[in-house]
Amino acid sequence: MTTHLSRDHWEKLLAGLTLEGRHFIDGEFQPSVSGETFTRIRPMDGRPGGTLSRGNAADVDAAVASARAAFASGVWRHKEPGEKKKIMLTWAELIRAHGEELAMLETIDVGKPVMASLHVDVRLCADGIQYYGEMIDKMYDEIAPTGPKARALVRKVPLGVIGAITPWNYPMIIDAWKLGPAIAAGNSVVLKPAEQSSLSALRLAALGHEAGLPAGVLNVVTGYGEETGKPLALHMDVDMIAFTGSTEVGKLIMGYAAQSNVKRVALELGGKSPLVVFADADLDAAASAAAWGCFYNSGETCHASTRLLVQRSVQDELIARIRDVTEREIALRHPLDPSAQIGALIEEAHMEKVLSMIAAGEREGARRAFGAERVLSETGGYYVSPGVFVDMTNDMNLARQEIFGPVLAAIPFDTEEEALAIANDTIYGLAGAVFTRDMDRAHRFSEGLHAGTVWINTYDMSTFATPFGGFKQSGFGRDRSVHAIDKYCDYKTIWQQFG
Ligand code: NAP
């Protein structure tokens, strides 16, 4: 990756880019059967971005047929493990080699700073494909303990055709979380990215094909959720839907699976994660984690630490330090400015929703400490500054609903028991954190917190080696780690009796 990354460099790259917006089906770009398209508006400046194929059931049918044919032929799943591994590692290298282009596609679509797209999203996407590629020649099957007169092989087999439906907040990363294990396990995939963020998915698929993925193993169909995602989830020839998105749509996906062929589902859904700070904590570390945990990616993060539970005696001090970290470190700028740490929200309608939730919160009695206002409107883009509300109670809407904007709700508490009760008083169970110097309390609290990931004295640490996902209405099934492979496979037992 190059290092000459001035604003001018990115502006030139943007001006020279050709945006491919057709579906990727059976190893090539294809327009919609209907010929219809839609135009994406760039959140960074409100100008037109890519023109995408507007998919419907006919396009989904074509993609599923291609995926099924590839699976049935065994062209991918029966390839030598070493060969499959080489193709996936080449794919990861191609993603790195096209890093700046992919970063720009992501920024055009979702408005995050292009440097973050490059150094976080592209990097983690490539690392994810590599991680699962490296697993391919390290997976073994089992022989069951049956005695000498028979043998039972317990084979772990791919499911077949996987429908992957992904959101817009970390498109490339979440695509890799699905594509890596699903394809490494030997399946074919039809990916339906969010309508707001299809450009990087299309490019990823083309790079996979260039690396050697056979036609049909990875297809991308673009379009709206109701018109493209729904027929995919209802499809009778799809074996599983791997979904990441809102709890509301996740419930629909479960319904579609039940109404069609009882396909499996894995759901990575929303969150309202608590970050709990006791008075004995390192307040600088807690302030930094609280600010970055909530405001990174403009708060458009499923596990954003949007509820700050703070022991009452240190609330004012902690909020002052959070404000300081935010003003010093979390620069909200135009996404092509290399010094930007956060950029635009995903679209105008979402910005309006965030602003109206803030206004409703104030009417409900939430007290603004700083920020949470529309800014940079002169750019034509959709920007809201990071902000904190204090003296909140956990029954207020800002503390209960997923805002998906840079808004932190600070809720004071007095005792550990009260903090744990408030932390668990949510429909979600995705993540959480506890800050204290008392390690007994830290571990007691971590055990009590009903969440898929708990951090002690830090926030948002992760590697591919750790599973990610939630409890309660944050969904079920885990992305990342060796365990993610399991949900794209099932066991098949083959008996043989000896004479
Ligand atoms: P969303 O509205 O639920 O959409 C997610 C995906 O579902 C999109 O591709 C969407 O397509 C599609 N979709 C919408 N309606 C559908 C339907 N009726 N049938 C089938 N597919 C449909 O979520 P989002 O706004 O993109 O993303 C934000 C949400 O994702 C938040 O709730 C966040 O917490 C969650 N999230 C969770 C995780 C996790 O790992 N737990 C990670 C990231 C995000 P369209 O875009 O075309 O509508």
Side-chain angles (χ1 to χ4, degrees):
M1 289 175 191
T2 51
T3 49
H4 47 282
L5 303 175
S6 61
R7 169 107 185 225
D8 194 42
H9 170 76
W10 290 114
E11 295 278 7
K12 281 192 187 127
L13 181 62
L14 176 62
L17 266 188
T18 307
L19 304 181
E20 176 57 74
R22 291 172 296 167
H23 307 306
F24 190 80
I25 298 176
D26 209 29
E28 57 186 22
F29 288 109
Q30 302 183 12
S32 293
V33 172
S34 69
E36 286 190 51
T37 59
F38 65 100
T39 300
R40 170 81 186 125
I41 299 298
R42 301 194 312 215
M44 67 172 131
D45 54 13
R47 293 166 62 181
T51 300
L52 288 308
S53 290
R54 181 172 172 172
N56 63 27
D59 305 294
V60 170
D61 283 346
V64 172
S66 168
R68 177 60 64 192
F71 187 74
S73 74
V75 62
W76 174 247
R77 71 186 154 120
H78 291 153
K79 210 182 260 309
E80 287 295 323
E83 261 186 76
K84 283 192 279 191
K85 169 177 154 179
K86 208 162 143 195
I87 288 169
M88 287 196 64
L89 297 190
T90 304
W91 187 14
E93 281 313 314
L94 284 174
I95 293 167
R96 293 186 182 107
H98 291 80
E100 290 187 18
E101 175 198 353
L102 282 163
M104 183 55 81
L105 296 179
E106 203 79 317
T107 289
I108 291 170
D109 265 347
V110 307
K112 68 176 78 188
V114 70
M115 294 296 275
S117 296
L118 179 63
H119 291 304
V120 179
D121 300 66
V122 171
R123 178 175 61 82
L124 292 179
C125 175
D127 289 354
I129 299 299
Q130 178 176 331
Y131 181 91
Y132 290 103
E134 283 168 348
M135 279 184 67
I136 290 177
D137 60 357
K138 298 170 190 69
M139 294 188 280
Y140 292 80
D141 291 331
E142 298 168 0
I143 298 179
T146 53
K149 298 216 166 94
R151 184 164 56 202
L153 307 178
V154 182
R155 301 258 299 115
K156 213 171 184 182
V157 294
L159 294 176
V161 175
I162 309 296
I165 302 179
T166 53
W168 45 257
N169 58 340
Y170 293 94
M172 255 187 289
I173 295 176
I174 294 172
D175 289 348
W177 288 3
K178 314 282 187 220
L179 301 180
I183 292 177
N187 297 285
S188 301
V189 179
V190 177
L191 168 64
K192 202 303 263 184
E195 80 208 32
Q196 297 90 341
S197 57
S198 303
L199 294 175
S200 60
L202 291 164
R203 193 70 184 105
L204 278 183
L207 292 174
H209 191 63
E210 190 180 325
L213 284 184
V217 171
L218 172 53
N219 307 274
V220 179
V221 182
T222 60
Y224 297 111
E226 272 279 321
E227 296 173 2
T228 314
K230 183 175 175 179
L232 183 62
L234 280 170
H235 206 287
M236 294 300 288
D237 204 23
V238 169
D239 298 289
M240 175 193 176
I241 294 289
F243 174 81
T244 297
S246 61
T247 297
E248 186 189 351
V249 177
K251 290 179 182 178
L252 293 177
I253 298 288
M254 286 186 93
Y256 300 149
Q259 287 161 40
S260 52
N261 58 346
V262 203
K263 58 177 67 65
R264 290 129 202 258
V265 294
L267 303 175
E268 299 288 350
L269 308 176
K272 194 73 192 170
S273 299
L275 187 152
V276 182
V277 183
F278 286 92
D280 70 341
D282 174 341
L283 291 189
D284 282 329
S288 175
W292 282 103
C294 185
F295 302 144
Y296 183 70
N297 213 41
S298 298
E300 294 172 329
T301 302
C302 51
H303 60 277
S305 54
T306 47
R307 287 188 300 149
L308 174 69
L309 277 50
V310 52
Q311 205 151 21
R312 201 174 303 275
S313 59
V314 293
Q315 180 179 229
D316 291 349
E317 178 59 29
L318 185 64
I319 299 302
R321 293 190 199 196
I322 290 173
R323 181 174 194 158
D324 186 47
V325 172
T326 305
E327 288 172 358
R328 263 188 304 112
E329 297 180 10
I330 308 182
L332 194 170
R333 308 231 163 96
H334 189 284
L336 299 190
D337 181 332
S339 67
Q341 296 294 337
I342 58 173
L345 294 180
I346 188 71
E347 58 194 358
E348 187 171 18
H350 183 63
M351 176 188 71
E352 294 301 344
K353 183 177 153 211
V354 169
L355 292 172
S356 74
M357 287 178 82
I358 291 168
E362 288 192 296
R363 286 197 298 278
E364 211 184 356
R367 188 164 66 79
R368 188 191 303 250
F370 66 90
E373 293 162 328
R374 181 168 189 193
V375 291
L376 299 181
S377 54
E378 68 283 2
T379 60
Y382 317 121
Y383 302 84
V384 171
S385 62
V388 174
F389 288 84
V390 292
D391 291 329
M392 306 264 307
T393 55
N394 200 47
D395 56 356
M396 291 176 162
N397 279 323
L398 285 183
R400 296 204 84 76
Q401 292 176 2
E402 196 180 31
I403 300 171
F404 243 50
V407 182
L408 181 64
I411 305 166
F413 69 85
D414 293 303
T415 66
E416 183 182 329
E417 294 68 31
E418 185 191 1
L420 188 60
I422 297 172
N424 283 330
D425 178 17
T426 165
I427 62 166
Y428 299 111
L430 191 55
V434 55
F435 281 75
T436 175
R437 286 192 165 93
D438 177 343
M439 280 301 116
D440 287 347
R441 173 159 62 192
H443 283 280
R444 197 167 56 233
F445 204 89
S446 308
E447 291 297 329
L449 203 53
H450 197 36
T453 301
V454 180
W455 291 282
I456 295 175
N457 293 333
T458 184
Y459 204 83
D460 204 14
M461 285 189 79
S462 71
T463 75
F464 272 95
T466 52
F468 183 76
F471 296 133
K472 300 198 278 185
Q473 292 190 39
S474 291
F476 53 86
R478 293 290 180 267
D479 281 329
R480 299 199 318 233
S481 85
V482 295
H483 305 294
I485 295 262
D486 292 344
K487 66 182 190 228
Y488 298 105
C489 297
D490 212 339
Y491 293 104
K492 177 173 183 173
T493 306
I494 302 172
W495 277 97
Q496 179 187 4
Q497 191 171 15
F498 299 129

